[in-house]
Amino acid sequence: MKRFDGLTALAGVDFDVRKGEIHGLLGENGAGKTTLMNILFGLLQPDAGTIVIDGEPVRFRDPHDAVARGVGMVHQHFMLVPTLTVAENVLLGERHGVTLTRRDVAGVSARLAACAERYGLDVDPSAPVWKLSVGEQQRAEILRALYRNARILILDEPTATLTPFEAEQLLPRLRAMAAEGTAVVFITHHLDEVITHTDRITVLRGGRHVATLAPGETTTRELARLMVGREVASFAVGLGDAPLDAAPGAAALERVQGVREPVLEIAGLQARGPMGNLAVRGVDVAVAPGEIVAIAGVEGNGQSELEEVLLGLRRPTAGSIRLDGREITALAPAERLRHGIGVIPSDRYRRGLVRALSVAENLVLDRIGERPYGTPLTLNPKAILANARQLVERFSIRVSRPEQPAGMLSGGNAQRLVIARALSRELRVLLAAQPSRGLDVGAMEFVWSQLDAQRAAGVGVLLISTDLEEVFALADRCHVMYRGAVVAVWERAEFDRERFGLAMGGVLGSADPPAVAEGVRV
C-alpha cells in the first residue's frame, strides 16, 4: 500500500518474482509499476505491506540496504556521469575510505571486464561514458548492478532508447542472466517483448493487481485490454501500421499529383552540441500542410540539438528555418509560438512543464501575461482555472483538481498536459519530439490519434522519434539521422524495418541511393 497526497498509488498489490525467471511488469502510466519497484529498491517506504526475500521479511531504509540484499535497478534514464569512465561510475556507488587509488580502479575494471565477458555485455570499463553509444551505456548500467551481486535485477524500459538491432542483442543476454539464477523484473511498454522474452507477466491497473499469467496464455491485444480496461486500437498494439485506418496525409497524396508548397523549410542547418562538436550537419527537411514527416534515429545522433535549434533554444552555426516562406531562424522561442509553431518537447519534465506550478498554471505557461489570462503585471486566476477545466476534460487529464501540482502527475498525464497546451493554439506546424516515449499503449493511442487529427486538420507535423513503431504508424515520409546528418529519406511506400534499423546504426545496403551513402561519410 502506498498513498501520495490522498491518492492511492498502490492498493494492496501482491507481486512475486522467482529465481531464474524473467518477469514482465505491465501497466498504464500511473498504474503503480515504478512506485512498486522504487519500494523494492528502497527509494520509497511503503505505507503497509511487506517485502520478503528468500523467505525473510526485510525493510529497506534506502537503496544501499536494497543493494546489500542483492537488489539492483537500472532506471529508464541512465544514472551515469558522462565525464567519468564506466569503472569510475561503478566506484561512485561504493562506500570507500577517504581516498581511492589507481589500483582500486584497476581492480574494478578487471572485475567488470570478467562480468562483461561472462554475460556477453560488451563494454570497455576504461571508456568515458560520453564516448559510449546508447546501447553501450545500457550495458554499463546492467554491469554496474551485476558487479554489486544483484540477484534481483529490475530493468525499467531497457529497450526504450535502443535500435532494433541493439534490442535484439540485449534481450538474449537477459536470458543468460536468468539461466544463472538471477531474477529479472522487466518493465516495458513493448507488448511483443514480454510475449517473446518473459516467463510470466503481471499487469497492474489503477494501483491494483489485475492478472499474472504466462505468455502462452495471452496475446498482445489481451494484454493491452488488461492494462487499460478496454479495447485498444490495433495500430497501438503493433497489429497495424496506420492509425485509425488512416491513409497517408493529404500532402503525401498531393506530391503524387503535383507540387505543394511547404509550411516549414529547414535548409542546410548546422549546430554545435554541448561539447562544441558539430552535432547537426547540413540537415534539409521540408514539411507541407497536412503531412507528418518523421526524423528517425538512435538517441544521441543530433536529434536533441536539432530540436533545440527549431525551438530557438540553440543558435545554429549555418542554415535557415522558414515558416510559410518567412525566415524565423533568429526569432526567440515565444515569437515562434506566436507565429503558429506548437511544441511537444522530448523531455516533458525538463522543458514541458514546471512541476512546482499547478496543472492550471502549466496549461497557460506559454501565455502568461497574455489576455484573457492576465497582463504583463497581473494574472487572471478565474480565466486560468476555466481554461484548465476545459482542457482537462477535453484531453482526459486525470487530476484530483486543476490546482494540483503538475509534479504529481504520472508520465502519461504529464504528456497529456503538454499536448493539451500545445494544441490549444491555432497551429501551422507542430513539432512533436519523442511524443510517446515511456507511455503505455492507452496513452500512446491517445497521442498518436492527436497527431493524426492535426494532420487531418492541415497542420504540418514534424515528428522526431527513436521509436520505429511510432514512425511506421504515423509518418508519410521519413528522414533517418546518423551522427548529425540525414543519411536516408524514404516515402511511406518504401518503408522497410530492416533498412531503417541498419540506417539508424549507420549501415546502409547497396540498394540505397548514392546520396544516402554519401551522407554517412559526413
Side-chain angles (χ1 to χ4, degrees), residues 358-364 367 371-374 379-395 397 399 401-403 420 424:
S358 69
V359 168
E361 290 164 337
N362 271 279
L363 285 167
V364 295
R367 282 175 283 182
R371 295 186 183 279
Y373 308 114
L379 293 177
N380 184 341
K382 288 185 178 180
I384 292 173
L385 193 58
N387 174 73
R389 287 174 177 150
Q390 176 192 359
L391 293 180
V392 163
E393 181 177 0
R394 175 182 165 191
F395 290 90
I397 306 171
V399 295
R401 60 192 191 285
E403 297 88 350
S424 61

Side-chain angles (χ1 to χ4, degrees), residues 353-378:
L353 52 81
V354 179
R355 299 189 190 211
L357 296 181
S358 69
V359 168
E361 290 164 337
N362 271 279
L363 285 167
V364 295
L365 200 59
D366 57 345
R367 282 175 283 182
I368 291 291
E370 296 181 14
R371 295 186 183 279
Y373 308 114
T375 70
L377 297 177
T378 63

Side-chain angles (χ1 to χ4, degrees), residues 189-236:
H189 291 307
H190 295 285
L191 303 184
D192 57 326
E193 291 178 348
V194 294
I195 289 287
T196 306
H197 295 283
T198 66
D199 300 300
R200 287 191 299 156
I201 305 165
T202 289
V203 181
L204 304 183
R205 186 171 73 236
R208 298 179 183 277
H209 176 273
V210 175
T212 295
L213 60 171
E217 301 172 346
T218 187
T219 63
T220 54
R221 186 185 292 277
E222 174 62 12
L223 289 174
R225 188 190 66 77
L226 289 171
M227 287 170 61
V228 303
R230 59 175 175 79
E231 292 295 329
V232 178
S234 296
F235 72 87

